[in-house]
Amino acid sequence: MVGGLVLVTLALGWGGCASTPAPVEEKPRDSAHLSDYYPLAVGNRWSYRVNGRGDKNVDVKILKEEEGFFHDSQGGQLMVDSFGIRDQKRYLLRGPVEPGRSWSNVVSVSSTERYEIVQAGIPCEAPAGTFQDCVRVEARNRVDQETTLVNTFTFAPGVGLVRIQVDAERGGRRIPQTWLELTSYQVQKPGQG
């Protein structure tokens, strides 16, 4: 699902502007399971507004489960294993869920993505609502000697992805590219069919 959403987000290019979220005080967290941050079940669906525009939307629905991966309507495939939430090439969230936790994903011979949990146990909001105990993950991938692509994913337990922000970083300055924010969702916990 994230894979499909990230591809859609990148395809939208340089549109829209966004502001950097204000610092939020983190609170002690309970021990939520990694699967809580992305409830995967056939039939679950999420709708996202692109760049704050009501006329640009992305709808994602989980269509089937095959060999442990949940396939969605945007071409994404996700699963949760004992290490974290992943697609076929990368971990998007790994435990333990705490600020400073970092990992790398080699996604091709010439591309290594570096991930870090930058905030955990924080509130987050989107048009779909206000959520508690959210996790913000930053993924960085160097495009060339001057530019790094920065994807920031915000997950809410029991909901999934609440926001994806894509920025290009050049000379220490972030240039907003595109973003998606959750407008509605319908999820069930695994095994609830």
Side-chain angles (χ1 to χ4, degrees):
M1 178 171 322
V2 169
L5 279 177
V6 170
L7 290 176
V8 169
T9 304
L10 294 175
L12 295 171
W14 295 84
C17 62
S19 59
T20 304
V24 176
E25 185 177 327
E26 296 177 11
K27 67 174 184 124
R29 300 182 0 73
D30 59 17
S31 57
H33 294 96
L34 287 166
S35 61
D36 291 343
Y37 288 102
Y38 220 130
L40 298 173
V42 174
N44 285 2
R45 63 180 64 225
W46 299 264
S47 292
Y48 296 90
R49 180 170 59 194
V50 180
N51 294 339
R53 293 183 47 188
D55 62 339
K56 282 195 174 185
N57 295 298
V58 175
D59 295 314
V60 180
K61 180 179 181 183
I62 297 181
L63 303 174
K64 66 180 179 177
E65 179 185 5
E66 192 172 274
E67 297 179 13
F69 281 94
F70 289 85
H71 298 249
D72 70 41
S73 58
Q74 294 292 321
Q77 298 177 29
L78 284 179
M79 76 177 309
V80 178
D81 64 20
S82 60
F83 296 105
I85 301 168
R86 61 174 292 214
D87 65 16
Q88 298 236 342
K89 293 184 177 185
R90 67 188 53 82
Y91 279 95
L92 302 164
L93 179 62
R94 287 193 66 157
V97 177
E98 59 190 26
R101 168 79 164 114
S102 62
W103 63 97
S104 296
N105 295 301
V106 178
V107 294
S108 73
V109 175
S110 62
S111 180
T112 299
E113 299 172 342
R114 290 169 174 61
Y115 287 69
E116 181 180 355
I117 297 174
V118 292
Q119 293 178 302
I122 60 165
C124 63
E125 40 181 271
T130 300
F131 309 99
Q132 301 302 311
D133 203 24
C134 299
V135 175
R136 191 163 289 126
V137 176
E138 188 175 273
R140 302 174 68 78
N141 190 343
R142 192 170 182 161
V143 176
D144 58 36
Q145 289 184 335
E146 299 172 0
T147 308
T148 298
L149 190 62
V150 182
N151 289 303
T152 305
F153 305 103
T154 303
F155 298 91
V159 176
L161 268 172
V162 173
R163 184 174 176 88
I164 300 174
Q165 172 78 36
V166 180
D167 297 312
E169 189 173 79
R170 284 190 103 156
R173 187 172 152 243
R174 286 197 183 183
I175 305 161
Q177 302 297 294
T178 192
W179 48 273
L180 292 103
E181 57 186 353
L182 187 67
T183 57
S184 66
Y185 64 99
Q186 181 179 2
V187 299
Q188 59 186 346
K189 292 199 184 246
Q192 277 185 331

